[in-house]
Amino acid sequence: MYCKNCGNKISEGAKFCKSCGAPAVEPSEKRETEQARRESIRREKAKKKRKILLACLLLLAVCACVVFAYVKPNWIDRKTAKPEDGKPAAAALAKGETGNSFANLANGGELVESGSWIYYSNGQGIYKTADMSEEGTQLCRATVPGNLNAAGEWIYYTAAKGTEHYNVIYRVRMNGSESEMLSEEPCTMLTAAGDKLYYQIVDQNSEGYEGKLFSMNMDGSGVKQVLEDQIRFLGIEKDWIYYTTYQGEQNTLYRVKTDGTEEERLISEFRSCSVPVVKDGWLYYGRAAEDGSWKLCRQKLSADGKREDIVQAAASSSYWEIALNVCDGWVYYVDLGNTKDTEEPQERVCRVKVDGSEPELMSDGGWSCRIFTADQDVMCCFSKNSADELENWQLEWEVME
C-alpha cells in the first residue's frame, strides 16, 4: 500500500505514513468501512428475526391443527355432507337405548346425565356440571329449555322459539361450540332412541296435549309420521313407545314398537291418571279411586308383553300431582296435601318403598316441583315464577339427601 500524499510505501496495518505523516486511510473510506460493518450486522439480525418468525408460524399451524381436531367446528354443511366411502352414518345411540330416562322426561326432562357430566336447565339456558351442588358452565342460552336428551356429542332439547309460547327442537354440542334448530314445528315430549328422535307435534286445538307422533334422523332430516291417531306421547323404554288416547273422559294407555308395530292396550280405563313412569319392567302411576282419593300404583310388564295385576304401592287421601320418579327401590312423588286448607298449597316431596312401606317426607318443596335422578342421586327443581313469563322463568335445584 502506498501513501496517497507522498507516494512512499506504507507497511500493512500502519495508520500513518512514516515519510510525511499523512493518514494511511481517508476519513471517507473509514466511514464507508464502518457503514459496511453496520450493514452486515443489520442483515444478520434480520436473518435471525426471519428464522424466529418462521418458527412461530410453524408452531401456530401445529396448534391450529390440534384445536381443529378437538373442537371440530361445523365447517361442513350437514345437509350436503355424505358418509365416507358410502358407509351409513353410525347411530348416536345403541338399539333400545334412549337419550334420557323415561321418568326424567316424564317430569319435563330439565336434567340428563351423560358420562360423568350432568346437563340441566335453569329456565334460561342449558348448563353442564359434575356436581349439582355447584354452579355449572353455560353451554347455550335458551328460553324454557326441557326434554334434554344426550346422544353422541349432542344435547337435544326443546325450547321456546323467540317469544312464542310453544317449543321447537334444538341441539347443542356437549362442549357448547355449536348449536342449531332442527325443527320449527310446535312440539313436546322429545325422546332420542336408537338413531331417531321421536316427538309429538301438538294439536293447538286439543285440550289434552294430544297430537301426532313423528320421528326424524338425528340431524333433523327424514321426518316421518309414526302413528296415524291423535295421541298423548308419554315416552320410550326399550323399543316400546307408551302413549294414551282420549275418548270422552276415558283415558286408555297403550304401547307400540318404535317402528309402529305390535300395538297393545295396557289399561283400558286409565282415567284421571298422572303421567306414568316405566322403570325396570314396572309401570308406576297415580290414579283416582272411586272415592276420589289418589292411589300410587305399579303394574308389572311381563316379558311377553301381557300385563299382570295392578299392585298398590301407596295410597293417599290428598291430591296427588303428576311428578314421580323411581330410584334405588324408592318411589319419589309430589303431594300437595289438602288443597282445602290453603289457596296455594305447598308441593311436598315424599317417597315410599316400591312395596308401599316406609313412607317419608323428604322436602317441603316449592311451586311446580319435578323430580329427577342421575346415577343414584335424586334432585328436585322448583319454578321461581310462572312459565307464562318466558323471559323471566327461572328454576331452582335441590339435591335430596
Side-chain angles (χ1 to χ4, degrees), residues 111-126:
L111 179 146
V112 64
E113 181 182 26
S114 180
S116 59
W117 294 99
I118 297 174
Y119 302 83
Y120 67 96
S121 163
N122 76 342
Q124 294 298 315
I126 295 178

Side-chain angles (χ1 to χ4, degrees), residues 34 54 56-57 61 70 106-107 112 119 146 157 161 175 208 225 254 273 283 300 362 390:
E34 180 65 21
L54 288 174
C56 291
L57 291 175
Y70 178 74
N107 278 269
V112 64
Y119 302 83
Y157 64 97
K161 181 185 178 183
N175 61 13
Q225 185 170 329
Y254 291 87
C273 180
L283 180 73
K300 180 67 175 177
M362 297 295 296
L390 295 182

Side-chain angles (χ1 to χ4, degrees), residues 17 32 65 126 186 195 230 261 268 283 293 301 339 345 367-368:
C17 176
E32 291 175 359
C65 292
I126 295 178
D195 60 354
Q230 290 273 98
T261 63
S268 59
L283 180 73
S293 65
L301 300 173
T339 58
W367 185 69
S368 189

